Amino acid sequence: MPVRRTLRVVRRYWRVLVRWFQHYTAPARRAWRRSLQIRVVSLTLVASSLLVGTFGWFIADRSAEILLSRTKDEVSSSLNGKVAYAYKQLTVHPLARDPELPNTIAATVNDLFDGDPAEDGGSVISIRAANHPDLGAVTLPNVDTRQLVTPEMVRAVAESGSVAQQIRTAEIDGQTVKYLVYGSPVQTKFGHVELYYMVPLTTEDRTANQIRTTVLATGIALVFLLGVVAGLVTRLVVNPVRVAARTAQRLSAGLLDQRMKVTGEDDLALLAAAFNQMAANLQRQIVRLEEMSRLQRRFTSDVSHELRTPLTTVRMAADLIFSERDSFEPAVARSAELLQAELDRFEDLLTDLLEISRFDAGFAALDAEHTDLLPIVQRVAERLTGLADRAGVELDLRLPEAPVIAEIDPRRVERVLRNLVGNAIEHAEGKPVVITVATDEAAVAITVRDYGIGLKPGEERLVFNRFWRADPSRARQTGGTGLGLSISVEDARLHGGWLEAWGAPGEGAQFRLTLPVRAGDRLVAAPLPLIPRDRPAATGEPAEVS
């Protein structure tokens, strides 16, 4: 349990840290996504920093190595001279017990000493007589060399009789100094002594640090200049692209006369000229299409209006003939009934064409008012009861007990429901049609469900196209015009709502009308699912699409 509790606490703090990081880095991440110039300059700075940093480190490291190598050569040469001098001074003593040997060693160290490290960073000389039991190391200046001459180095010089070197750091008179330490045996008649020559590397370190500082400053300046150059070059390229983007936005907003300024003869000028040519062609095509669309809408509207006058005359004659059909022969009476039905369908087609032309022209207006939808649904069901009885279809209304009030256009909503229920009865194949109403605080939804032939995959979008039918071979019972669902989806959009369809072969279909409770509100979700809950293979509600 403590482990689980600890893991929960860690995960909680981790989520808080991630949210904090995302909150404070959001402006930078947004600028990175939106600005090509920032990305190019940033990548240039990173790449140039890595390159200049690697090159600078190599230069500084090689410079330090060269300085150290030169110092080693000088110290090694100087050591050879000091070893020769010490040999010359000490070889006059044949025995290690010679009482004058300590004085000679001290004098030799004094002669070889060439500076005070506490004052000018001079070297340190130390001679150690290993086989003289009473004589220790003689050192000038009188400093503690135990930090510089390590036991390992003493063994290397005393036992192997070879020259040894090392770099050590010691604190002398309160100052930390780095020394290059050389140790060499000096062969004498009474045996060998050890000569240690310690040279401070203060000057070399100072020079190396100056080189590093110079390389660092030069690298920073170079990276900064590269960033400035990258910014200027990117700006030369990005600015025309931004101008093209803004021009394209204005074109998409309907300002078809917008053009880019063409300057020079380079590739960017060629791009601007090509863009202007494309914009001019688009403008001509759009103007041509708008003119054709306007003529088409005007033609549809004019034809619909012009057909009203002869249709009224034909309607009066047909009504007169239809009222006297009982006195006609059966064949003539049947012809009168067909004439009356086709005139009704023709009149509906003219009405739908006029309505479609108003939608196309953008003249359709919403006459919204607070209305209870339940009486509208009941009224549609009552008017289509006769059609349902003739088709052997039962209408099942599933309505809430409380009123469903929404700000809608009653005429348009009733027309949508009449089209949906009529289509459901036509395709129900004698099975029930279920009409369901539900509401929440933001939206009201009405579904019309049938269990007929259903829809094939992809037909749920085609069903709202004008004059489209799922099965053209089927005989119509409702005598529809083929424009009902197209007008219905426009009515739904005019309300700011959705009209969606679902269907599967052999499982029937369901249409869902979703409207906002308050006119002008934006829909987010629907109170009823689009995929029916009674579907055997239901997989769940798909994502809402506004």
Side-chain angles (χ1 to χ4, degrees):
M1 292 299 294
V3 176
R4 293 183 179 178
R5 188 178 299 110
T6 302
L7 290 177
R8 286 198 298 268
V9 172
V10 170
R11 284 196 294 268
R12 183 165 62 252
Y13 280 104
W14 173 254
R15 287 194 293 269
V16 171
L17 181 62
V18 169
R19 286 196 295 270
W20 178 86
F21 176 79
Q22 291 176 345
H23 173 73
Y24 284 100
T25 60
R29 289 186 283 112
R30 183 165 53 250
W32 175 268
R33 291 194 306 268
R34 295 181 177 179
S35 177
L36 176 62
Q37 187 174 9
I38 290 179
R39 291 200 299 271
V40 172
V41 173
S42 299
L43 293 176
T44 301
L45 289 176
V46 171
S48 59
S49 298
L50 292 176
L51 181 61
V52 172
T54 303
F55 181 73
W57 173 83
F58 175 76
I59 294 297
D61 184 68
R62 287 297 301 162
S63 299
E65 289 183 359
I66 292 173
L67 289 173
L68 182 60
S69 176
R70 186 179 64 182
T71 302
K72 285 182 178 180
D73 293 340
E74 293 176 355
V75 172
S76 177
S77 177
S78 179
L79 177 66
N80 293 332
K82 294 180 184 298
V83 169
Y85 181 81
Y87 172 77
K88 181 179 179 181
Q89 296 296 320
L90 298 177
T91 193
V92 299
H93 299 281
L95 299 175
R97 297 290 183 176
D98 191 338
E100 295 296 327
L101 180 59
N103 295 331
T104 303
I105 291 177
T108 302
V109 170
N110 186 65
D111 294 339
L112 295 177
F113 176 63
D114 53 4
D116 184 359
E119 295 178 358
D120 55 9
S123 60
V124 178
I125 293 293
S126 178
I127 294 180
R128 177 176 175 269
N131 54 358
H132 197 297
D134 299 327
L135 184 62
V138 179
T139 304
L140 277 180
N142 188 17
V143 296
D144 186 4
T145 61
R146 288 178 298 178
Q147 301 179 62
L148 300 176
V149 182
T150 61
E152 293 79 5
M153 189 174 188
V154 171
R155 285 194 297 269
V157 176
E159 296 176 5
S160 64
S162 59
V163 178
Q165 67 168 346
Q166 63 181 7
I167 296 177
R168 299 288 295 176
T169 301
E171 185 174 345
I172 298 178
D173 294 338
Q175 297 182 1
T176 302
V177 184
K178 184 187 294 184
Y179 279 88
L180 175 61
V181 183
Y182 267 83
S184 174
V186 179
Q187 298 297 332
T188 63
K189 294 180 179 180
F190 58 85
H192 73 271
V193 296
E194 303 157 18
L195 173 63
Y196 295 97
Y197 184 31
M198 290 152 273
V199 179
L201 298 176
T202 305
T203 303
E204 287 75 10
D205 283 347
R206 186 184 302 114
T207 304
N209 289 333
Q210 290 176 352
I211 293 175
R212 294 190 188 97
T213 303
T214 303
V215 171
L216 178 61
T218 304
I220 293 176
L222 181 59
V223 170
F224 176 76
L225 291 177
L226 287 174
V228 172
V229 171
L232 293 176
V233 173
T234 308
R235 184 181 180 86
L236 292 176
V237 178
V238 170
N239 277 349
V241 177
R242 290 175 178 171
V243 172
R246 288 194 293 268
T247 306
Q249 290 174 350
R250 296 191 188 100
L251 288 173
S252 64
L255 303 176
L256 301 180
D257 58 341
Q258 295 296 308
R259 297 293 184 270
M260 291 182 62
K261 183 179 180 181
V262 180
T263 304
E265 300 179 357
D266 54 8
D267 294 336
L268 295 177
L270 181 61
L271 171 64
F275 185 92
N276 291 340
Q277 183 65 33
M278 178 191 68
N281 293 336
L282 286 176
Q283 182 179 14
R284 285 193 294 269
Q285 292 294 330
I286 291 174
V287 171
R288 178 171 172 270
L289 291 175
E290 287 180 347
E291 181 65 19
M292 292 177 61
S293 177
R294 186 184 65 81
L295 292 175
Q296 182 183 8
R297 292 194 301 269
R298 182 176 178 181
F299 174 77
T300 303
S301 178
D302 291 346
V303 168
S304 301
H305 280 291
E306 292 299 327
L307 288 177
R308 286 287 183 182
T309 301
L311 178 62
T312 302
T313 304
V314 175
R315 165 65 72 182
M316 294 174 59
D319 289 342
L320 179 62
I321 296 173
F322 184 76
S323 63
E324 300 294 334
R325 68 185 183 282
D326 294 336
S327 61
F328 298 155
E329 296 181 0
V332 178
R334 177 58 181 163
S335 298
E337 293 175 355
L338 291 176
L339 176 62
Q340 186 75 7
E342 290 303 318
L343 280 174
D344 291 339
R345 183 182 175 190
F346 186 54
E347 192 170 26
D348 292 340
L349 177 60
L350 287 179
T351 302
D352 290 346
L353 285 174
L354 285 173
E355 189 68 22
I356 285 291
S357 65
R358 281 192 288 270
F359 279 119
D360 290 342
F363 295 149
L366 188 68
D367 187 12
E369 60 185 44
H370 288 88
T371 308
D372 186 0
L373 272 76
L374 299 186
I376 297 178
V377 175
Q378 294 170 346
R379 185 164 59 249
V380 170
E382 290 175 0
R383 291 181 178 179
L384 294 177
T385 299
L387 176 64
D389 292 340
R390 290 194 300 271
V393 174
E394 178 186 356
L395 296 180
D396 182 8
L397 299 182
R398 299 179 182 179
L399 309 178
E401 296 181 358
V404 178
I405 307 298
E407 193 174 356
I408 60 170
D409 186 335
R411 179 182 65 86
R412 295 183 183 278
V413 173
E414 183 174 348
R415 179 168 61 191
V416 173
L417 294 178
R418 188 167 61 249
N419 285 326
L420 296 181
V421 176
N423 284 341
I425 293 173
E426 180 181 355
H427 298 89
E429 296 187 330
K431 299 175 183 178
V433 171
V434 180
I435 305 172
T436 307
V437 180
T439 185
D440 57 22
E441 295 181 355
V444 58
I446 305 173
T447 59
V448 179
R449 169 83 161 107
D450 69 75
Y451 299 87
I453 59 175
L455 296 173
K456 299 176 183 178
E459 291 183 346
E460 64 274 2
R461 295 187 181 275
L462 297 175
V463 73
F464 298 108
N465 291 347
R466 300 176 184 181
F467 302 109
W468 185 87
R469 295 185 64 189
D471 187 2
S473 63
R474 292 173 57 87
R476 286 188 180 271
Q477 299 185 38
T478 60
T481 63
L483 296 173
L485 290 180
S486 300
I487 295 175
S488 297
V489 76
E490 295 293 344
D491 283 332
R493 290 173 182 169
L494 195 61
H495 282 83
W498 309 328
L499 181 56
E500 303 159 286
W502 168 88
E507 298 183 33
Q510 176 164 289
F511 288 78
R512 181 179 68 181
L513 173 64
T514 310
L515 302 173
V517 172
R518 292 170 293 275
D521 287 358
R522 183 177 182 273
L523 289 178
V524 177
L528 292 174
L530 178 59
I531 299 179
R533 295 190 178 97
D534 59 359
R535 182 193 178 197
T539 57
E541 173 71 0
E544 298 290 348
V545 179
S546 60

